Amino acid sequence: MASHAHHSDEFDPTADIPKPQTKVIWKTFFILVAITAVEFAFAFMMDPGTLRNAIFIGLTILKAFYIVAEFMHLKHETKGLIWAVLVPTVLLIWLLVALLVEGTFYGESVFNYFN
Amino acid sequence: MSQTTTFEQPNTGTWDGGNEPFKVSYGKLMMWFFLLSDAFTFAAFLTTYGLARHRHKAYEGTSEAFTFSTEWWPIPDKVFNAFPGFHGVDWPLAFVALMTMILILSSVTMVLAVEAGHRMDKNDVQKWLLWTILFGSMFLGCQAWEWTHFISGTDEGMKLADGSVIHGANLIVNQYGPPLFADLFFFITGFHGTHVFSGVVLLIMIFINTVNGVYHRRGHYEMVEKVGLYWHFVDLVWVFVFTFFYLV
């Protein structure tokens, strides 16, 4: 920001550049790696089932939160923007639930066609 | 000409563009809305996967006794268990774990490039953009290998009732299970891979601009932020693809 006035035309390597502030970035990275490791632990140490799937989906949403909130910086935007992005995704949950139910019904009708 | 005028005399009235309720630039706001629409596209794909999976029978037996059959939806651990250089060795999900790590790392280097841009540190922006391009290309290479393996199949293949054996998968036949499984694999990972490819192209473009000092002269690195948003979104989609295709 301070560099506008005197050297706006060419890059000057001697200009003052503030120190990087990367603590939060690396912290977020380690959280994401840790969650992924936990996901693998569940994949190999727990039998498949509804509970395991629920854990996977919960951890996925947690990972998504860290990516969107910190990496995409949404947490630090205005409330209006946060809601404008998040609210429409509710429709996706509806779509998902509706079509999973539909898929089960469709499969059952095909499997029991001659009964 | 008109652009210069706009910069020199910004509109300040509430109803002539002077009011920014979201406190972000037009470009960033439109990137957010584009990504929201893209999220709908990917969610439609993954929901289709869910529908197809619920329409088919789930495998009932033990994991050890699992065989590929068109009767039931395959267990992902049994499909994605190959690793380059280890032919025929059963390493469930190891390669996809590597791909996930590469993509998360590329997201970190991207956000470091954005951070360097805020500090007007041209050298750091260049460095982190190069790392991001490298990791993005590595991910694409991994995906190319995974596709090749998925298409050519395993040595055992799937035995059909008439005694013939099919190896690998395409849009019509699939050794791993119902043909829809392969179709959805190609569509979902292919659509995501196309996004990664576009992202790498965008990254190369902004890298060239950074090297040429375009953003430094402009006085801000907002273009890096906008491409960064796109790149993180690609990582975000992978998180969901990873869960719904490889884990669940």
Side-chain angles (χ1 to χ4, degrees), chain B residues 9-245:
Chain B
Q9 294 173 310
N11 295 325
T12 49
T14 306
W15 294 102
D16 55 3
N19 189 18
E20 275 187 357
F22 288 162
K23 305 276 192 299
V24 284
S25 68
Y26 176 80
K28 250 162 103 175
L29 188 61
M30 290 307 121
M31 180 53 93
W32 269 111
F33 288 144
F34 163 68
L35 294 180
L36 184 62
S37 75
D38 226 15
F40 271 69
T41 312
F42 275 108
F45 272 131
L46 287 172
T47 303
T48 311
Y49 177 85
L51 178 129
R53 188 169 177 164
H54 278 245
R55 180 248 174 272
H56 287 84
K57 287 199 169 97
Y59 175 69
E60 302 282 351
T62 60
S63 176
E64 289 75 31
F66 178 82
T67 49
F68 294 133
S69 164
T70 48
E71 285 290 304
W72 50 71
W73 204 255
I75 304 176
D77 310 12
K78 302 289 175 187
V79 181
F80 307 103
N81 63 352
F83 203 89
F86 294 88
H87 184 83
V89 184
D90 177 39
W91 279 2
L93 304 181
F95 194 56
V96 74
L98 178 71
M99 287 167 73
T100 306
M101 282 309 303
I102 291 170
L103 210 57
I104 294 179
L105 263 176
S106 81
S107 231
V108 172
T109 55
M110 184 73 237
V111 78
L112 287 169
V114 172
E115 195 270 345
H118 285 306
R119 293 182 289 113
M120 297 298 289
D121 187 340
K122 186 182 160 188
N123 285 337
D124 263 17
V125 175
Q126 278 169 217
K127 177 178 79 181
W128 293 121
L129 280 182
L130 266 186
W131 277 110
T132 314
I133 292 168
L134 177 79
F135 286 131
S137 312
M138 273 171 74
F139 182 85
L140 284 173
C142 291
Q143 210 168 34
W145 186 89
E146 203 192 20
W147 270 52
T148 310
H149 178 81
F150 192 84
I151 292 168
S152 55
T154 60
D155 292 341
E156 305 85 51
M158 183 203 279
K159 284 192 187 63
L160 300 182
D162 63 356
S164 61
V165 179
I166 48 173
H167 296 281
N170 52 42
L171 290 176
I172 301 150
V173 292
N174 173 16
Q175 80 153 75
Y176 309 101
L180 262 182
F181 175 76
D183 298 347
L184 287 159
F185 173 80
F186 290 128
F187 274 101
I188 294 172
T189 65
F191 206 67
H192 176 262
T194 311
H195 274 72
V196 178
F197 178 75
S198 319
V200 171
V201 171
L202 289 172
L203 284 170
I204 292 171
M205 285 162 67
I206 60 167
F207 175 73
I208 293 169
N209 279 347
T210 307
V211 172
N212 289 337
V214 172
Y215 305 131
H216 208 85
R217 276 194 296 277
R218 196 176 285 171
H220 58 79
Y221 282 80
E222 198 191 275
M223 195 54 85
V224 179
E225 277 182 61
K226 281 183 273 199
V227 175
L229 279 178
Y230 177 79
W231 190 259
H232 296 312
F233 175 77
V234 170
D235 184 29
L236 177 72
V237 169
W238 181 253
V239 165
F240 282 91
V241 171
F242 174 64
T243 301
F244 291 114
F245 221 99

